[in-house]
Amino acid sequence: MKIVVLIKQVPDTADERTLDPATGWLNRDAGDNIVDEINERALETALRVKDGDKSTEVVVLAMGPEEAAKAIRKALSMGADSGIHILDGSLAGADAARTAAVLAAALKGAGADVIVAGNESTDGRGGVVPAMVAEHLGLPLVGSLASLELAPGKVSGERQGESGTLSVSAALPAVVTVTERSAEARFPNFKGILTAKRKPVATLSLSDLDVPATPAHTVIVSHSERPARTAGTKIVDEGNAGTLLADYLVENRLV
Amino acid sequence: MENLTEDQQSIVAMVRDFATTALAPHAGEWDEAKHFPVDVLAEAGTLGMGGIYVAEDYGGSGMTRTDAVLIFEELAAADPSIAAYISIHNMVAWMVDAFGNDTQRAAWLPGLTAMTDLGSYCLTEPGVGSDAAALSTRAVRDGDHYVINGTKQFISGAGSSALYIVMARTQDNGSHGITAIVVPDGTPGLSFGAEEKKMGWRAQPTRQVVFEDVRVPVTNRLGREGDGFTIAMKGLNGGRVNIGACSLGGGRAAFDKSVAYLKERQAFGGPLIKQQHLLFELADMDTELETARTMLLRAAAALETGDPDTVKLCAMAKRVATDAGFHVANQALQLHGGYGYLSEYGLEKIVRDLRVHQILEGSNEIMRLIVGRLAVED
Ligand SMILES: Cc1cc2nc3c(=O)[nH]c(=O)nc-3n(C[C@@H](O)[C@H](O)[C@H](O)COP(=O)(O)OP(=O)(O)OC[C@H]3O[C@@H](n4cnc5c(N)ncnc54)[C@H](O)[C@@H]3O)c2cc1C
Ligand SMILES: Cc1cc2nc3c(=O)[nH]c(=O)nc-3n(C[C@H](O)[C@H](O)[C@H](O)COP(=O)(O)OP(=O)(O)OC[C@H]3O[C@@H](n4cnc5c(N)ncnc54)[C@H](O)[C@@H]3O)c2cc1C
C-alpha cells in the first residue's frame, strides 16, 4: 500500500504567535517552526500500517518555504520513506484553495492508495484543505477520524461527534483526515534521525506541476490582536457556589 | 547550543521531548515510591538509548561519545536517577560490544540494546571499593565452567538485570588476576541482598549480589583471563564521562529553576533577581556548568579518538562535572529558601541524586589520585 501524508510546518504552539501587520500573514520567524502535531498523528497512522506490513510505502508531502524541509526531515526520521517538498516563492501567502490545488497537482501522479491529513492545522485552522484536495482528485473524503484502520482496498474508522460516534468506511483510494484523538505520534529513534538525511526528497516548483497560476481568491482585509486577557470570573461562596458554578459552565457552553 | 551538527540538534530535541514527557512528570513519584520503571527503560530502548555507542550490527545506535554526553545531559535534566542507571547500562552494553566475541555479542547485545534485558556492573565488594584491584570474589575453573563465590556490594540494577558483568579473581596477582565474566540472571547460586535504603537514586535499586557456587560456562568470559581489571577500567572511562553528563543535566535543571524563581520571588521591594549578590551567584553557577560541559566534551572527544590523555581527561571531567552538578544543585536549593527544602519544588531530589555521583564510578578523591599520579609519572 502507498500512503501519502500531508504535513504542514507550523509555528510551535508553545511560542507566542504573531501576525505580520503589513500582510496579515503569520509571522513565521517569530519562533520555532515544527511539524504540526496533528500531522505527526496522521503520520503515526501511516507508520502503524507500515509496522504491520513492511511493504507499505509512506511518503510525506509538504508545501511550504525552504524551512519546511526540516519538517520533512523530521517525518523521515520518524519512519516515512521519502518526501516531496513543493517549494516556490510565488506560493507565499497562498490561500486554502490554492494550497489544495497545488497539493492535488502533486498528488495526481503519485499513485497513492490513501492520503492522510490532519483535520485542521493549528495555525490556519481552515479545516478545508483535505476536502478540497479530495474534490480535485475525485476521491471520497473520510474526515475527522479519531481512530482508523487501513486494510487493502478499504479504510474504516470512527468519528466522534457531540451526540455519538459514527462508524465510517470507504473504498480506497480515499483522502482521510484524523483528529487530535487519534494515536499519539512516536518519537523518532536515533537510527531514524541518523538515516533521515539519506532518504530521498523531491523538491518540486510550480513549473513541475500542472496547475494553473491563479491568484489567491481570498485576501486579508484587516486583522486585529486578540484583546488582552481580562481577569476571570470569581465566584464567592455564599452557600450557593455550586449552583453559580454550574450555571456559569452551562451558560458558556463549557459542559 | 553552539557547534552541534544538525543530527545532534535533532537528537537533543528528541531526547528532550522523551525526557520531558516520559520521565519528568513521574520523577517525583518514582523517587517517593522507589519505583524502577523498567517499562520506560524498554521504551528508551526502542529509541536507541540502550546501546548509544554500541556498534549497529546487533541493535546498537553506533553514535559517538559526544552524542552520549548530550543525551545524558538531557535525560538527567528530567531525572538524574534514571539517566544514571541508563548510563551504567550503556557501560555494560559497551563492554560486551567492545570485549565480547561475535557469539557473545550476538547472544547478549540484542536484548541489552533494546533494554528489554538490563545490565549490571559488579566490581565493588563489601570490603573493597576504591582499591578495586584488591577484590576477592573468586572464580575457579572447573572443566568448561567457572565456579564463582563471593559478594558484590552496591550493585546498581541488581535484582532487575538480566546480565551481570562480574569482576572476579582467577589468580592471586593483584589487578592482573582479575577476569570479567557474564552471569545471566537465574543462574543457580546467584542471589541478591535487600534493596539498600539510600539518600538519592531511589528510582533504581542498589543491592548486594551474592554468588554461591555459581557455575557459568567458560564461554561467558569477556576477553582473556586476567583482562578483567583493564576491561572494568576501560568501561569506567566512558562511565565517568556519562555520569558527569548526568550531573551536568541535573545541575542545569536546578539552575534553570533558580533563574525562573529569582525573577518571580518578591522581597525587599522587587524581584530577588535585583539583588546583585544573587545575580553573581547565578553567574558562578552558570560558569561552573559550562566549565563542566567543556571538560566533558573534551573527554568525550578523547575517548572517541583514542587520545593518549583519555584516562586523565575522563578523570578530570568526572571530578569537575560531578562537583559542579552537586554544588549548583545545592546552591539552587539555597536560592529557593525554605521552598527549596520542600520536595514539591523538585530541588532537594536533584541534590540527593547528584550527591552520589561524587562517590561512585571512582570517588572524586580517586579522580585526584589518577590525575596526580599521571602528572608526576616519569
Ligand atoms: C494568519 C493566517 C491568515 C490566513 N488568512 C487566510 C485567508 O484570509 N484566506 C484563506 O483562504 N486562507 C488564509 N490562511 C490560510 C492559509 O494560508 C493556510 O495556511 C493554508 O492554505 C492551509 O490552510 P489551513 O492551514 O487552514 O489548512 P487546513 O485545511 O486546516 O489543514 C488541514 C490539513 O491539510 C494539510 N495541509 C494544509 N496545508 C498544507 C501544506 N501547505 N502542505 C501540506 N499539507 C497541508 C495538513 O495535513 C493539514 O493538517 C491564513 C493562514 C494564517 C496562518
Ligand atoms: C548508590 C550507589 C550505587 C553504586 N553502584 C555500583 C555499581 O553498579 N557497581 C559497582 O561496582 N559499584 C557501585 N557502587 C560502589 C561505588 O563505586 C563505591 O562506593 C566507590 O567506589 C567507593 O568505594 P567505597 O564505598 O568502598 O569507599 P572506600 O574506598 O572505602 O573509600 C572511603 C573514602 O575514602 C576515600 N579514599 C579511598 N582511598 C583513597 C585514597 N587512596 N586516597 C584518598 N582518598 C581515598 C574515598 O574517596 C572515600 O571518600 C555504588 C555505590 C553507591 C553508593
Side-chain angles (χ1 to χ4, degrees):
Chain A
M1 189 181 322
K2 181 168 181 178
I3 307 174
V4 179
V5 182
L6 304 185
I7 58 167
K8 187 181 184 192
Q9 194 186 37
V10 299
D12 195 339
T13 48
D15 297 331
E16 196 181 339
R17 292 170 294 169
T18 55
L19 299 181
D20 183 321
T23 56
W25 294 349
L26 195 64
N27 191 349
R28 291 187 187 275
D29 302 327
D32 278 348
N33 292 305
I34 57 167
V35 181
D36 199 340
E37 192 203 313
I38 193 77
N39 295 152
E40 287 196 356
R41 287 180 193 260
L43 178 60
E44 177 65 30
T45 310
L47 293 176
R48 286 186 181 197
V49 178
K50 192 177 165 76
D51 290 342
D53 175 4
K54 294 287 172 221
S55 73
T56 309
E57 186 187 350
V58 178
V59 181
V60 294
L61 169 60
M63 174 184 129
E66 200 105 20
E67 215 206 341
K70 268 204 199 154
I72 293 176
R73 173 86 67 87
K74 170 85 187 285
L76 295 176
S77 72
M78 289 169 71
D81 297 295
S82 64
I84 304 172
H85 183 184
I86 307 172
L87 173 66
D88 196 306
S90 68
L91 286 169
D95 62 4
R98 179 96 175 119
T99 302
V102 173
L103 291 175
L107 285 163
K108 231 161 236 165
D113 295 294
V114 57
I115 294 156
V116 190
N119 66 327
E120 68 170 35
S121 65
T122 54
D123 60 350
R125 298 201 59 189
V128 290
V129 168
M132 290 171 165
V133 167
E135 184 70 18
H136 280 293
L137 298 175
L139 296 179
L141 172 77
V142 190
S144 297
L145 301 185
S147 66
L148 78 152
E149 209 170 305
L150 282 165
K154 188 182 172 194
V155 54
S156 50
E158 297 211 322
R159 182 185 300 152
Q160 283 164 344
E162 271 185 30
S163 52
T165 302
L166 278 176
S167 293
V168 291
S169 64
L172 297 182
V175 177
V176 173
T177 74
V178 299
T179 68
E180 71 277 8
R181 286 182 196 230
S182 67
E184 201 173 315
R186 67 193 59 192
F187 296 106
N189 63 23
F190 293 145
K191 209 162 282 176
I193 291 170
L194 297 174
T195 53
K197 262 201 306 267
R198 284 179 244 147
K199 292 179 175 176
V201 178
T203 306
L204 306 178
S205 70
L206 276 186
S207 60
D208 299 316
L209 297 170
D210 179 22
V211 57
T214 48
H217 291 289
T218 49
V219 284
I220 296 158
V221 178
S222 71
H223 71 278
S224 55
E225 299 257 324
R226 189 208 303 256
R229 219 184 265 251
T230 51
T233 308
K234 218 176 231 170
I235 293 171
V236 181
D237 189 8
E238 285 162 354
N240 59 347
T243 323
L244 289 177
L245 194 58
D247 287 348
Y248 177 85
L249 292 174
V250 171
E251 201 176 304
N252 292 285
R253 296 175 53 90
L254 294 170
V255 280
Chain B
M1 211 190 306
E2 76 298 349
N3 293 335
L4 294 193
T5 65
E6 213 168 303
D7 281 345
Q8 285 173 332
Q9 289 173 26
S10 302
I11 285 161
V12 167
M14 182 279 272
V15 178
R16 186 175 297 177
D17 231 9
F18 169 75
T20 50
T21 54
L23 304 183
H26 311 288
E29 173 195 322
W30 292 338
D31 176 73
E32 210 168 315
K34 301 186 175 64
H35 173 68
F36 188 42
V38 292
D39 51 334
V40 179
L41 294 175
E43 194 189 342
T46 66
L47 302 178
M49 297 183 202
I52 295 169
Y53 45 92
V54 166
E56 285 167 288
D57 50 352
Y58 295 112
S61 294
M63 299 197 292
T64 66
R65 303 297 186 130
T66 304
D67 297 332
V69 167
L70 302 172
I71 291 163
F72 287 114
E73 178 184 342
E74 289 306 325
L75 291 173
D79 189 344
S81 172
I82 299 303
Y85 175 72
I86 295 178
S87 108
I88 292 172
H89 175 86
N90 268 273
M91 173 164 73
V92 169
W94 176 80
M95 287 164 74
V96 171
D97 186 40
F99 302 103
N101 57 38
D102 211 52
T103 315
Q104 294 171 326
R105 295 176 66 248
W108 296 322
L109 284 178
L112 286 171
T113 54
M115 269 206 265
T116 45
D117 288 344
L118 301 179
S120 285
Y121 174 96
C122 310
L123 179 66
T124 308
E125 298 180 352
V128 187
S130 302
D131 188 12
L135 63 81
S136 65
T137 294
R138 197 163 278 281
V140 177
R141 183 85 180 246
D142 179 21
D144 290 338
H145 287 79
Y146 284 114
V147 180
I148 307 173
N149 279 288
T151 301
K152 293 293 180 179
Q153 176 77 1
F154 296 127
I155 303 308
S156 303
S160 299
S161 284
L163 295 174
Y164 297 83
I165 299 187
V166 182
M167 269 46 81
R169 183 159 296 291
T170 44
Q171 264 197 309
D172 289 309
N173 52 345
S175 65
H176 300 293
I178 296 171
T179 301
I181 302 168
V182 174
V183 178
D185 186 35
T187 308
L190 178 70
S191 65
F192 308 102
E195 275 198 31
E196 303 290 357
K197 297 194 174 94
K198 337 191 261 294
M199 174 182 183
W201 274 29
R202 291 185 178 172
Q204 54 155 310
T206 309
R207 300 167 73 170
Q208 273 192 346
V209 179
V210 182
F211 303 85
E212 285 168 303
D213 291 329
V214 170
R215 289 177 77 85
V216 292
V218 168
T219 51
N220 279 23
R221 186 184 70 216
L222 290 180
R224 291 168 309 182
E225 262 191 28
D227 283 354
F229 194 73
T230 309
I231 291 175
M233 291 305 122
K234 288 213 161 127
L236 276 183
N237 281 333
R240 285 170 186 158
V241 174
N242 294 342
I243 211 75
C246 292
S247 288
L248 173 60
R252 186 188 85 194
F255 174 76
D256 289 347
K257 280 175 190 279
S258 305
V259 172
Y261 187 77
L262 292 183
K263 280 188 186 167
E264 199 183 287
R265 178 74 176 172
Q266 302 285 327
F268 300 99
L272 275 179
I273 197 76
K274 290 247 159 87
Q275 305 294 329
Q276 197 177 53
H277 172 78
L278 301 182
L279 187 73
F280 277 31
E281 205 60 70
L282 288 178
D284 285 346
M285 290 157 74
D286 201 12
T287 307
E288 273 188 71
L289 292 175
E290 283 298 353
T291 307
R293 181 177 285 115
T294 303
M295 295 290 287
L296 289 167
L297 291 176
R298 180 138 179 245
L303 275 168
E304 199 59 36
T305 56
D307 189 295
D309 282 339
T310 299
V311 171
K312 176 180 99 170
L313 290 170
C314 290
M316 285 178 169
K318 193 266 176 184
R319 192 202 136 201
V320 168
T322 57
D323 282 350
F326 179 75
H327 178 247
V328 167
N330 197 32
Q331 204 50 35
L333 189 154
Q334 182 73 15
L335 294 178
H336 278 71
Y339 295 101
Y341 199 68
L342 305 184
S343 304
E344 197 189 326
Y345 283 72
L347 287 153
E348 59 86 32
K349 173 181 180 296
I350 301 178
V351 175
R352 288 189 286 108
D353 283 344
L354 297 192
R355 183 63 182 85
V356 78
H357 298 192
Q358 296 171 298
I359 297 171
L360 46 65
E361 308 229 342
S363 70
N364 285 5
E365 288 76 17
I366 296 304
M367 295 305 102
R368 290 184 181 85
L369 194 68
I370 291 170
V371 173
R373 277 183 183 164
L374 286 168
V376 300
E377 179 181 79
D378 292 320

